[in-house]
Amino acid sequence: MKKLLLLTLLLTTITSCKQTKKEADASADKTAEVAKPEVKLYTFSGGTVVANKLELFSQDTTYTGQSKEFADAFYVISHPKGNLMWDAGLPEGLVGQPEPFTAPGGAFTVSRKDSVANQLASIGLKVEDIDYITLSHTHFDHTGHANVFSGATWIVQEPEYDFVANEEAQENRADNYNAIKELKNIQKINGDHDVFGDGSVVIKSMPGHTPGHQVLFLDLGEHGPLLLSGDMYHFYENREHKRIPIFNTDVEQTKASMLAFETFAKEKGAKVYLQHAKGDFEKLPKAPNYLK
């Protein structure tokens, strides 16, 4: 009889311990949810790009004779530990121009309506309130107002910095270099980088379009995970068919990055927003509204 009582007591204790552990685990999960930082994603227009020669965006003749209008977005990510600007639109010299500007050779026609200072004011921020700036890459349609943020820390992949700032680049691609030359507070990285250390804002290295091309992963509390594509893909057809622009610096690197991008997006269940696709730009709330 005593043995039976002892066995019953032992089983009761084990069951009680298991239940306590389950409750503790559930409580920990709830605490983790509560502790998740509030991150906001503000979307702005950095201008409009018309690709007059869409054939530039494929290694074959698929798009010969076609043209397409692209969005040119930039973003502010507000985090309790600071504000990050992702990309910088088209040059602000376009603001106030009576007509869109067509580049020599006719490949692109570009326009921009408003300055970054005015746009930041719509969300109650000033230029000096931006702590970090990071660019998906250093092409002209992503660096437009970068120099305005000379007081911010520029987070850049080391290969991208070398690509845009080496002596040959300064001489032969001066416009690209001049667009970022005022950024003096430089944080060079190699590979993925968790900006605020909590997994909510992560730069992902995806080279190929340029040597240090990167995309941005956000884990938002309500919207959930998302990826801002940089120029991994410019429009939906190129994502579907994995077509690569003729001006990418490395085709094989691009293919590897496309695979890594899609694998990561699937693993995280992340919604992908193509930054140049007008449809995706229109889906996002525009500042002063935001995703969170």
Side-chain angles (χ1 to χ4, degrees), residues 190-251:
N190 284 280
D192 298 349
H193 177 66
D194 187 341
V195 178
F196 299 107
D198 55 22
S200 63
V201 183
V202 180
I203 295 167
K204 300 286 295 179
S205 174
M206 298 281 171
H209 185 63
T210 60
H213 179 267
Q214 51 192 12
V215 304
L216 190 67
F217 172 75
L218 301 178
D219 189 8
L220 301 180
E222 292 184 8
H223 177 279
L226 67 84
L227 278 163
L228 297 176
S229 68
D231 278 7
M232 178 62 62
Y233 311 104
H234 292 78
F235 49 99
Y236 304 134
E237 295 88 342
N238 269 19
R239 184 183 182 197
E240 179 182 358
H241 300 289
K242 303 297 183 286
R243 294 188 180 124
I244 299 171
I246 64 173
F247 51 89
N248 279 29
T249 57
D250 192 310
V251 170

Side-chain angles (χ1 to χ4, degrees), residues 33-290:
E33 288 177 10
V34 171
K36 193 171 184 178
E38 184 179 52
V39 178
K40 298 175 183 177
L41 172 65
Y42 294 93
T43 300
F44 300 86
S45 173
T48 299
V49 178
V50 178
N52 300 314
K53 298 180 180 181
L54 201 62
E55 60 267 29
L56 296 174
F57 292 84
S58 180
Q59 300 285 315
D60 55 27
T61 59
T62 298
Y63 302 125
T64 299
Q66 298 182 41
S67 64
K68 186 180 285 288
E69 184 176 310
F70 294 159
D72 196 352
F74 70 93
Y75 310 84
V76 169
I77 296 88
S78 173
H79 185 283
K81 293 182 179 179
N83 296 312
L84 169 75
M85 178 165 289
W86 174 256
D87 276 335
L90 287 159
E92 290 199 330
L94 295 167
V95 177
Q97 293 296 315
E99 298 291 338
F101 172 76
T102 299
F108 301 103
T109 297
V110 296
S111 60
R112 179 169 177 167
K113 293 182 178 180
D114 204 357
S115 70
V116 67
N118 284 342
Q119 289 174 289
L120 285 177
S122 73
I123 60 172
L125 294 181
K126 298 178 181 178
V127 167
E128 54 266 30
D129 293 323
I130 300 300
D131 303 288
Y132 304 97
I133 182 169
T134 189
L135 311 169
S136 58
H137 61 296
T138 53
H139 284 163
F140 77 99
D141 53 330
H142 293 260
T143 60
H145 57 242
N147 280 333
V148 173
F149 297 93
S150 57
T153 297
W154 178 26
I155 304 173
V156 57
Q157 299 287 339
E158 189 165 8
E160 189 73 9
Y161 182 81
D162 292 342
F163 171 69
V164 74
N166 64 42
E167 289 185 9
E168 185 270 334
Q170 291 185 38
E171 182 177 346
N172 298 322
R173 298 190 298 278
D175 287 345
N176 286 19
Y177 170 71
N178 289 336
I180 52 84
K181 70 178 182 179
E182 300 302 324
L183 300 178
K184 305 298 184 182
N185 303 319
I186 301 169
Q187 181 181 351
K188 296 180 185 178
I189 60 174
N190 284 280
D192 298 349
H193 177 66
D194 187 341
V195 178
F196 299 107
D198 55 22
S200 63
V201 183
V202 180
I203 295 167
K204 300 286 295 179
S205 174
M206 298 281 171
H209 185 63
T210 60
H213 179 267
Q214 51 192 12
V215 304
L216 190 67
F217 172 75
L218 301 178
D219 189 8
L220 301 180
E222 292 184 8
H223 177 279
L226 67 84
L227 278 163
L228 297 176
S229 68
D231 278 7
M232 178 62 62
Y233 311 104
H234 292 78
F235 49 99
Y236 304 134
E237 295 88 342
N238 269 19
R239 184 183 182 197
E240 179 182 358
H241 300 289
K242 303 297 183 286
R243 294 188 180 124
I244 299 171
I246 64 173
F247 51 89
N248 279 29
T249 57
D250 192 310
V251 170
E252 292 308 311
Q253 226 178 24
T254 301
K255 290 178 180 178
S257 288
M258 285 177 171
L259 177 59
F261 181 88
E262 298 298 344
T263 300
F264 181 77
K266 186 175 181 180
E267 286 175 354
K268 293 294 186 179
K271 183 171 179 57
V272 173
Y273 290 93
L274 305 187
Q275 292 182 211
H276 280 303
K278 287 180 64 179
D280 280 1
F281 177 72
E282 289 164 3
K283 290 174 187 175
L284 289 165
K286 307 306 177 298
N289 298 314
Y290 55 84

